[in-house]
Amino acid sequence: FTFSNYDSQILNGQSSSTFEVFYFETNTDAQNNTNALPNLYLVNSVSQIIYARIQNANNINCFGITFFELGVHYLPIANQPQDIIVCDDETNDGIESFDLNSQNSDILNGQSATDNVVSYHLSISDAENNVNPLGSSFTNTENPQTIYVRLENSGFTDCFTTTSFQLIVNEQPVLLMEDQWPICENDT
């Protein structure tokens, strides 16, 4: 974590030229202004309370202390599944219905379906912003068509990754009816 990124929130509109912000692991250190943490800080646990000391730049005895929790949450990995390839029906229009949820297991690749949420989208922007999710049954509108996947931590929706795959409809051969076959006779 980079503590200076939190300064404006801690100051809450107060001038950074008038007040300074320092960060500490304990309330005692913050009270005594000792063992201030470096600006770049590595958290060694899932969550940790950090104490922020806001002090007047001209008089360090004029200060206030607040605290907040730094949390590190599991980032799921969206594994790229295989493309879904199907044969077209007799219309050969390149349009078919697909079960997008059939990709869940490949995308999760052993990660918990309870702790993660899989959603499907038509654009990377929709996937990243978690808008306009597709239903599990989807009929393609172009061939091939890219589907974008968002895999997010169900408890912390800011923790997500994306991937994509293609929906491909292969043309079906058109067979002649038996009575349309040319008939050849042997002259011998």
Side-chain angles (χ1 to χ4, degrees):
F1 290 90
T2 305
F3 285 132
S4 59
N5 292 340
Y6 299 97
D7 287 356
S8 62
Q9 285 179 276
I10 299 293
L11 290 171
N12 193 27
Q14 299 173 87
S15 170
S16 60
S17 60
T18 304
F19 297 99
E20 301 171 308
V21 181
F22 297 95
Y23 299 89
F24 303 86
E25 287 185 335
T26 68
N27 187 35
T28 302
D29 285 348
Q31 292 286 338
N32 296 328
N33 201 20
T34 57
N35 302 314
L37 297 172
N39 187 43
L40 298 176
Y41 183 71
L42 179 64
V43 175
N44 293 320
S45 63
V46 173
S47 68
Q48 182 174 348
I49 301 295
I50 297 295
Y51 297 87
R53 177 185 170 112
I54 305 97
Q55 64 187 30
N56 186 296
N58 297 318
N59 182 353
I60 64 169
N61 293 318
C62 186
F63 68 92
I65 296 175
T66 189
F67 65 92
F68 59 94
E69 183 177 7
L70 290 180
V72 180
H73 304 287
Y74 167 74
L75 178 67
I77 304 299
N79 295 287
Q80 184 166 8
Q82 296 290 319
D83 295 335
I84 302 178
I85 303 171
V86 298
C87 288
D88 207 344
D89 59 18
E90 64 277 350
T91 64
N92 270 336
D93 61 2
I95 305 297
E96 288 297 318
S97 181
F98 294 85
D99 177 11
L100 299 180
N101 286 344
S102 69
Q103 297 286 66
N104 287 3
S105 137
D106 288 342
I107 292 163
L108 287 165
N109 193 29
Q111 299 169 94
S112 167
T114 305
D115 296 335
N116 298 290
V117 176
V118 179
S119 60
Y120 298 94
H121 305 266
L122 289 177
S123 72
I124 189 66
S125 175
D126 282 358
E128 289 174 345
N129 293 303
N130 199 22
V131 296
N132 303 317
L134 302 173
S136 62
S137 179
F138 175 74
T139 301
N140 63 310
T141 56
E142 53 190 67
N143 186 29
Q145 184 158 24
T146 302
I147 299 297
Y148 298 90
V149 182
R150 176 188 176 99
L151 179 61
E152 71 179 35
N153 180 317
S154 60
F156 304 95
T157 59
D158 287 342
C159 296
F160 71 91
T161 55
T162 60
T163 190
S164 65
F165 62 92
Q166 296 271 313
L167 301 177
I168 300 169
V169 180
N170 287 331
E171 187 175 348
Q172 185 180 131
V174 177
L175 300 176
L176 296 175
M177 301 305 290
E178 186 176 317
D179 62 346
Q180 295 176 332
W181 288 95
I183 299 174
C184 298
E185 292 184 26
N186 190 346
D187 290 342
T188 56

